[in-house]
Amino acid sequence: MFRRARNCRLRNPLLHIALGSAAALLALGGAALAQDGTRPSIQFELNKLESRKGACRLYFVINNRSAIDIGNLRLDIFVFDKAQIIARRAAIATRRLRPGKTYIRLFEIPDLSCASFGRIVVNEVLSCVDAAKKEEDCEPLLHYSSRAGVPFVD
């Protein structure tokens, strides 16, 4: 193993504390990585928009890469039109999202054409409860993206 050099002492207690804290943070950072090397997250991808009888259906691909067994996640979203004017506000809820699993969730926004969508903004997380109905802080874990030609951002 390693041997300490004879004349190597940390004389400054603040430096000693700082080095110990840095080592602890490095250890925690490594532990926070999942087995596949990714950080815990909940990936929320707007995958497709589909016009349906006077409504727009939104298809989301949700990948729960966190350790939280989510019972329900509710987001407050705003749909902006192509002129960047707010067209609609909606709350969407996911139902259960088990850790390590990918889900497809569909939501419909009535009386709004998909062709009018300019972007979708997540205003806030209304609630995030685990399967045991305990409130969780999911917001730092959420990451948004889009493949639907309409930006989906926070």
Side-chain angles (χ1 to χ4, degrees):
M1 294 302 280
F2 297 109
R3 290 186 183 184
R4 188 188 327 184
R6 287 185 180 185
N7 294 327
C8 181
R9 280 192 201 150
L10 292 176
R11 295 175 193 246
N12 184 337
L14 292 176
L15 181 60
H16 183 62
I17 291 169
L19 288 174
S21 298
L25 284 173
L26 285 173
L28 285 175
L33 292 177
Q35 287 180 350
D36 63 359
T38 61
R39 296 226 179 260
S41 63
I42 303 166
Q43 305 290 324
F44 225 102
E45 175 191 278
L46 175 61
N47 187 269
K48 178 180 172 180
L49 298 176
E50 179 180 70
S51 295
R52 306 276 300 178
K53 297 181 186 172
C56 184
R57 181 175 285 175
L58 290 73
Y59 290 81
F60 289 98
V61 177
I62 306 167
N63 189 347
N64 185 359
R65 294 181 181 168
S66 76
I68 303 170
D69 187 353
I70 297 171
N72 192 15
L73 172 64
R74 291 184 61 230
L75 302 176
D76 179 31
I77 65 168
F78 282 84
V79 176
F80 287 74
D81 65 16
K82 297 214 186 265
Q84 298 307 309
I85 306 296
I86 296 170
R88 184 69 45 89
R89 179 182 188 194
I92 58 175
T94 64
R95 298 188 330 256
R96 190 164 186 191
L97 303 171
R98 290 182 181 93
K101 184 148 173 37
T102 300
Y103 294 88
I104 311 300
R105 296 288 191 251
L106 285 64
F107 304 97
E108 283 194 9
I109 299 183
D111 304 322
L112 200 58
S113 164
C114 296
S116 69
F117 280 38
R119 69 180 165 142
I120 301 172
V121 175
V122 177
N123 188 48
E124 67 179 315
V125 176
L126 295 172
S127 70
C128 180
V129 293
D130 67 12
K133 305 215 187 291
K134 180 182 142 215
E135 192 68 33
E136 296 283 346
D137 183 16
C138 294
E139 193 159 6
L141 299 172
L142 291 167
H143 298 279
Y144 307 100
S145 64
S146 176
R147 291 180 188 248
V150 173
F152 180 52
V153 297
D154 61 348

